[in-house]
Amino acid sequence: MGIRRMTIAVVSHDAGSSELICAFIREHEALVSWHIFALPESPMAIICKRHGLMFSPINNPSEQLEAIHPDILLFGTGWQEKCERPYVHYCKEHGIPTVAFLDHWSNYRERFDYPDETWIENLGDFTAVSDEKAYVLARSLNLPHPLKLSNYYLKALIEEAQKRTIVPSNTLLFLSEPTDAVAQQTYGDPLYWGFTQYTALRDILDHFGQFKCENLTIRLHPSETSSEYSLILKQYSHIPIQIHSAHTADLTDELLSAKMIIGFDTMALYIAALLNKPVISYLPSHNRDFHLPLPQTHQLKNLDDFVPELLFPSSLSIEKFGMDFASFINTLTKAFE
């Protein structure tokens, strides 16, 4: 028996979960009616435009949802913006199943404003995850009804990347993240973890010789600007360094062309490892754990522990994971019968 045609509303902002949701939509676009809500020029809006997915600008959530009578709401999670909240609260008040999409493997509860006493109100009725490590983590944190869904975004990215012909350079690629801003927003202290992206960059530059690279490229996070980095780079004029914006430099091309990639725990590091590139997850902190599913040998707290073996890639592949679309819909609808 086929799936009856239904309406699924979608609202998201941050890039990580937006990529997962848009890839999920594209995989199942013809099976239901989709209505996407996004802030213009947000990461979600940019991703929708890239894939030719239509979206409505976020306005009055109650009016927008009442106009389409959705059967289900899928929503993104992150730390940059909380525009999803009114849509989630409306659906929960009106008995419409809600599904929170989690990317990465960190700050799962904090995305919903934990430890604020009202954080539970921001959770979805279900929690979508894309690999076994995320599933185990979501269950350990007692997040509502974790659901296993395939990571169509990652699958498509790897398949597309494998078709490209790019000559590797002798570049060390640093994948920056706004560590100070996340720590400030989450814990009220930009140095909560004992380091920032700027202190880590200094460490990398001080140890640059051990990477056996000729130059360094800094790939900025979409929320970052280059001004603070430029001040640091003046002190390392002997090292050829470029700064690239995430908005203009293609991530896959940069990963493929680099000799080695270093970062904190950005998803792009995991992607690089899947692309058979040498990677280092670098967290110079005593109170921050490694989250990426990388071999422990490629996770460093101190660059003095660098060994030559790190110049070679680790062997990783995407695991087979996730339920089919019919099972996904049935699980949601049966729970609300």
Side-chain angles (χ1 to χ4, degrees):
M1 184 172 67
I3 302 171
R4 74 171 181 85
R5 192 162 188 85
M6 58 170 54
T7 297
I8 298 182
V10 175
V11 59
S12 187
H13 182 275
D14 286 19
S17 53
S18 294
E19 291 281 17
L20 290 177
I21 292 175
C22 285
F24 186 78
I25 293 171
R26 293 181 69 209
E27 185 72 18
H28 309 296
E29 192 169 3
L31 300 179
V32 300
S33 295
W34 301 91
H35 288 267
I36 303 171
F37 302 103
L39 291 172
E41 307 309 319
S42 67
M44 178 59 163
I46 293 170
I47 294 166
C48 285
K49 292 174 184 177
R50 186 205 314 154
H51 294 302
L53 298 173
M54 301 296 294
F55 69 90
S56 299
I58 284 176
N59 198 335
N60 184 305
S62 298
E63 292 181 0
Q64 289 182 312
L65 292 171
E66 287 171 2
I68 63 172
H69 301 292
D71 298 285
I72 296 168
L73 173 74
L74 311 184
F75 68 97
T77 60
W79 65 273
Q80 288 181 281
E81 176 64 58
K82 307 300 182 183
C83 59
E84 300 94 347
R85 296 282 166 79
Y87 293 84
V88 175
H89 295 164
Y90 175 93
C91 288
K92 293 176 79 170
E93 290 170 4
H94 291 80
I96 301 168
T98 59
V99 184
F101 272 66
L102 298 180
D103 65 303
H104 209 276
W105 303 269
S106 64
N107 300 319
Y108 278 4
R109 292 185 299 183
E110 287 78 5
R111 298 161 189 246
F112 304 99
D113 283 354
Y114 177 87
D116 188 282
E117 60 183 13
T118 63
W119 76 281
I120 292 178
E121 298 174 7
N122 303 321
L123 293 164
D125 300 299
F126 298 85
T127 309
V129 296
S130 301
D131 60 73
E132 191 62 35
K133 179 172 182 176
Y135 182 73
V136 171
L137 179 59
R139 285 177 59 87
S140 72
L141 295 173
N142 295 315
L143 297 182
H145 303 101
L147 297 174
K148 297 181 178 182
L149 298 181
S150 294
N151 193 327
Y152 297 107
Y153 161 67
L154 207 51
K155 288 180 179 179
L157 190 152
I158 299 300
E159 289 175 3
E160 193 276 334
Q162 291 172 340
K163 299 174 184 177
R164 300 190 189 189
T165 304
I166 295 179
V167 179
S169 64
N170 201 4
T171 297
L172 174 64
L173 177 63
F174 171 47
L175 301 171
S176 183
E177 297 175 66
T179 301
D180 57 348
V182 177
Q184 174 66 44
Q185 181 167 324
T186 307
Y187 303 104
D189 179 4
L191 276 168
Y192 176 81
W193 289 303
F195 76 100
T196 68
Q197 62 271 42
Y198 308 116
T199 62
L201 175 61
R202 290 182 184 276
D203 292 343
I204 292 168
L205 292 170
D206 288 338
H207 292 80
F208 186 72
Q210 65 192 13
F211 300 107
K212 308 299 182 185
C213 293
E214 294 179 354
N215 52 73
L216 173 74
T217 293
I218 301 169
R219 180 181 172 86
L220 299 177
H221 184 272
S223 66
E224 290 183 300
T225 61
S226 62
S227 56
E228 190 116 13
Y229 290 99
S230 298
L231 295 174
I232 297 174
L233 300 187
K234 290 179 180 179
Q235 303 169 36
Y236 296 88
S237 57
H238 61 289
I239 301 175
I241 302 172
Q242 296 184 60
I243 301 176
H244 291 173
S245 168
H247 298 295
T248 57
D250 182 81
L251 173 62
T252 303
D253 283 351
E254 292 211 301
L255 295 179
L256 289 172
S257 65
K259 176 181 179 180
M260 170 172 271
I261 299 98
I262 187 169
F264 306 133
D265 60 5
T266 172
M267 183 70 174
L269 266 182
Y270 180 56
I271 294 171
L274 290 172
L275 291 173
N276 204 36
K277 306 296 295 189
V279 303
I280 296 175
S281 176
Y282 177 48
L283 293 175
S285 172
H286 296 296
N287 63 341
R288 180 164 165 176
D289 297 326
F290 292 100
H291 293 292
L292 294 176
L294 297 172
Q296 290 186 358
T297 52
H298 290 256
Q299 299 172 333
L300 297 183
K301 291 282 188 181
N302 192 321
L303 290 180
D304 289 336
D305 297 328
F306 185 96
V307 293
E309 287 75 17
L310 288 169
L311 296 172
F312 300 94
S314 60
S315 298
L316 286 182
S317 60
I318 301 176
E319 59 187 273
K320 187 176 181 180
F321 187 86
M323 64 176 68
D324 60 36
F325 191 68
S327 298
F328 171 70
I329 296 298
N330 289 337
T331 299
L332 268 59
T333 53
K334 284 184 178 178
F336 276 71
E337 287 179 350

